[in-house]
Amino acid sequence: MTIQSTAQEVPVLELDPFSDEFLNDPYEAHEQMREAGPVFWLERYQLYGVARHAEVSQVLADHETYVSSRGVGISDFAKEKPWRPPSLLLEADPPHHTKARHVVSHIMTPKVLRGLKEGFQERADELVARVAAGKGTVDGVADLAEAYPLEIFPDFIGLPKDGRENLLPYGSMVFNTFGPRNSHFERAMERGATAQAWIMEQCQPGAPAPDGLGAKIHAAAAEAGYDEVDQAKLLRSFLSAGVDTTVHGIGNALQCLAENPEQFGYLREDPSLARAAFEETVRYSSPVQTFFRTTNKDAELSGMRIPEGSKVLMFLAAANRDPRQWENPARFDIRRKAAGHVGFGFGVHACLGQMLARLEGECFLTALARHVEKLEPAGEPVQQLNNTLRGLDSLPLRLTAA
Amino acid sequence: MPKITYILPDGLETVLDAEPGTSVMRTAVSNGVPGIVAECGGSAMCATCHVYVETEDTEGLPAVSDVEDEMLDCTASERCANSRLSCQLQVSEDITVRLPETQV
Ligand code: HEM
Ligand code: FES
């Protein structure tokens, strides 16, 4: 078999990037993968991996060779039926992808987002000031990192107040199912089953409030010729990708700032560093750790042959700490220029919600700088293990109001 | 190697050699030219890598795509006829670009 003969040319690694040990603390294993070579073979799952910034960027950029339509999880849609109808964005290739993407990018432009800033900032200030004024310790995850996006995002889309508790389990399910059928996958499917029904209901034409983004997506998709099923699928992408990711981004930022008081000091002194602090969090503690591609033809990457039909696992988070790309990559430094990281992906599939995520992160961290004088750890954080995402279940913090 | 001339808002000029095929944005960022933010890293998502192309002959430049066109409507400084996203400008010949007053 060609796969095996090629596999011998590339370094073979036995590690399991979906084990609890790895998911808890991936950084040493990231180093091992980067050092193994530009491309390596993960024996356990019979697939290729890339963990250096240069190769991850090349795979992301070459969407004709490394396709998304065969799934961006471990399963190859050419061989296995996906558990849900594929996304018209994430799991599609040009030209279909280009058309679908344009429908949405047209609605969520940087200009539109600039108009939202004032409202987002007000609500962040209100929330952070209220939580900081309370006595004792807080849970940085439930009280802040979940509270803020769960207040902002569903209103932005135009979702009803009832049922919003389904958003996090649904997102967690989607991201877990990109991985292998391990315990995280199975548990997420159980927990997500009820959430899925609610999500699908909210995606139907007419369900989202008429003034929100959801209704705009439906209208624009209808105009572009998508039928009702596909309109719902386009909206579904937002409900899958837009909540857990930002929750983890904000939670990870809180953890990084609490553990690096001098960095929080810089932010306090100059709240205009808030956007940079969020960017550095996405680099240093990437909420989305991995995505897959599938080779649609025989490929060569940095001198290594990758045959057609291979799954390629991109370790975005490892690329974001590649010493070939960054100085002191394992240092959380909000004053560095973090642009160029691949935490939001790159190329035709680059995160469609990245400007919204940045806006949420910026508003939240601005509020933190304004209303919190001291931010200290008040216990061990608990990691939430997910096959794709990196984030926290809880983060005990002691806040001193400014 | 093609040369890129960056004219900063205060009139100062920086001239850099560019690897053929790299973008005006990437060359600026990796050489620390101020004034190109490039928040999205070149995915045509942020409009913070806006430049005005001052070179007369623009034949050799890639055409403006629909996505770039839309993004150029979102720049922080005024859009002009010679506005481009520098992340979409792969260089093959010498080019001169002027940086806007602000990107955000
Ligand atoms: C910190 C927060 C976020 C992170 C780290 C993140 C990360 C990513 C990454 C890495 C990709 C690339 C997937 C690939 O290349 O296969 C992506 C795609 C995507 N993201 Fe995000 N995301 C975030 C927030 C959001 C938000 C808030 C939304 C929605 C409002 C969103 C919607 C999407 C969509 C629709 C895609 C698919 C784009 C395509 O395939 O063309 N994301 N995201
Ligand atoms: S770098 Fe973001 S649009 Fe050019």
Side-chain angles (χ1 to χ4, degrees), chain A residues 55-372:
Chain A
E55 281 74 23
V56 169
S57 303
Q58 280 173 58
V59 172
L60 283 167
D62 187 359
H63 56 86
E64 285 173 17
T65 307
Y66 304 95
V67 299
S68 291
S69 58
R70 289 170 74 167
V72 295
I74 198 168
S75 132
D76 181 355
F77 293 175
K79 296 172 187 151
E80 241 181 300
K81 189 175 159 349
W83 68 271
R84 60 169 200 171
S87 162
L88 297 175
L89 289 162
L90 188 66
E91 295 155 333
D93 294 327
H96 303 293
H97 168 265
T98 319
K99 182 179 168 196
R101 184 156 170 123
H102 196 231
V103 168
V104 184
S105 64
H106 194 66
I107 300 171
M108 239 178 33
T109 62
K111 206 194 226 158
V112 169
L113 294 176
R114 240 175 264 147
L116 297 171
K117 187 166 178 180
E118 209 177 309
F120 277 28
Q121 188 61 60
E122 247 170 55
R123 294 174 78 171
D125 282 318
E126 193 272 323
L127 171 75
V128 176
R130 176 160 44 79
V131 173
K135 294 267 174 294
T137 62
V138 304
D139 178 4
V141 174
D143 298 335
L144 294 168
E146 289 183 358
Y148 183 58
L150 278 180
E151 192 179 306
I152 292 290
F153 187 79
D155 282 354
F156 172 64
I157 300 280
L159 297 177
K161 297 271 180 231
D162 284 342
R164 291 180 177 188
E165 68 280 1
N166 288 304
L167 286 165
L168 287 172
Y170 183 69
S172 154
M173 165 165 81
V174 170
F175 282 102
N176 264 315
T177 55
F178 293 132
R181 287 189 175 265
N182 56 12
S183 62
H184 302 299
F185 185 116
E186 300 299 347
R187 221 173 312 129
M189 285 296 261
E190 279 164 34
R191 282 183 44 214
T194 38
Q196 198 183 356
W198 183 83
I199 295 285
M200 290 324 293
E201 235 171 83
Q202 306 317 316
C203 290
Q204 295 314 306
D211 51 349
L213 182 92
K216 291 203 187 93
I217 292 182
H218 272 295
E223 202 183 321
Y226 288 99
D227 66 16
E228 294 199 345
V229 173
D230 283 350
Q231 291 170 31
K233 257 196 262 172
L234 278 176
L235 180 50
R236 192 192 66 183
S237 292
F238 282 74
L239 305 192
S240 320
V243 196
D244 298 58
T245 46
T246 32
V247 165
H248 288 332
I250 291 173
N252 294 355
L254 280 168
Q255 180 183 25
C256 293
L257 290 167
E259 288 174 358
N260 296 278
E262 83 290 353
Q263 299 292 324
F264 185 59
Y266 301 144
L267 179 62
R268 282 275 297 157
E269 269 164 43
D270 180 5
S272 76
L273 282 170
R275 202 166 169 99
F278 189 71
E279 202 70 46
E280 171 67 347
T281 303
V282 177
R283 180 198 72 85
Y284 175 85
S285 187
S286 311
V288 175
Q289 294 269 304
T290 48
F291 264 120
F292 291 82
R293 293 289 189 263
T294 315
T295 48
N296 218 20
K297 52 184 173 217
D298 290 342
E300 200 183 303
L301 183 60
S302 300
M304 311 263 182
R305 265 182 27 74
I306 306 181
E308 187 277 333
S310 305
K311 276 283 166 181
V312 180
L313 178 47
M314 304 179 288
F315 289 89
L316 307 173
N320 287 343
R321 288 185 177 213
D322 184 353
R324 293 161 192 80
Q325 177 73 15
W326 314 93
E327 254 171 64
N328 292 324
R331 217 180 100 75
F332 177 71
D333 174 5
I334 68 171
R335 297 185 297 181
R336 83 160 79 222
K337 222 175 152 357
H341 68 74
V342 287
F344 289 113
F346 175 76
V348 299
H349 289 280
C351 180
L352 256 174
Q354 57 180 288
M355 298 306 278
L356 177 68
R358 285 191 178 98
L359 183 63
E360 289 183 43
E362 177 186 7
C363 291
F364 179 85
L365 293 178
T366 302
L368 194 73
R370 285 179 183 160
H371 303 291
V372 176

Side-chain angles (χ1 to χ4, degrees), chain B residues 25 38-49 71 85-88:
Chain B
M25 178 280 277
E39 209 166 44
C40 77
S43 298
M45 290 293 298
C46 70
T48 66
C49 65
M71 211 44 71
L85 295 181
S86 59
C87 68
Q88 304 300 304

Side-chain angles (χ1 to χ4, degrees), chain B residues 30-103:
Chain B
S30 47
N31 288 282
V33 177
I36 292 189
V37 179
E39 209 166 44
C40 77
S43 298
M45 290 293 298
C46 70
T48 66
C49 65
H50 178 203
V51 297
Y52 304 105
V53 176
E54 298 293 331
T55 312
E56 297 274 314
D57 178 13
T58 54
E59 285 277 295
L61 295 180
V64 179
S65 69
D66 288 351
V67 172
E68 179 177 350
D69 183 34
E70 215 162 71
M71 211 44 71
L72 284 168
D73 283 336
C74 302
T75 52
S77 296
E78 191 194 354
R79 175 178 187 173
C80 300
N82 59 344
S83 282
R84 290 297 304 258
L85 295 181
S86 59
C87 68
Q88 304 300 304
L89 287 177
Q90 272 76 33
V91 284
S92 51
E93 293 161 33
D94 292 2
I95 182 172
T96 300
V97 298
R98 193 161 50 79
L99 303 188
E101 288 294 328
T102 178
Q103 295 282 10

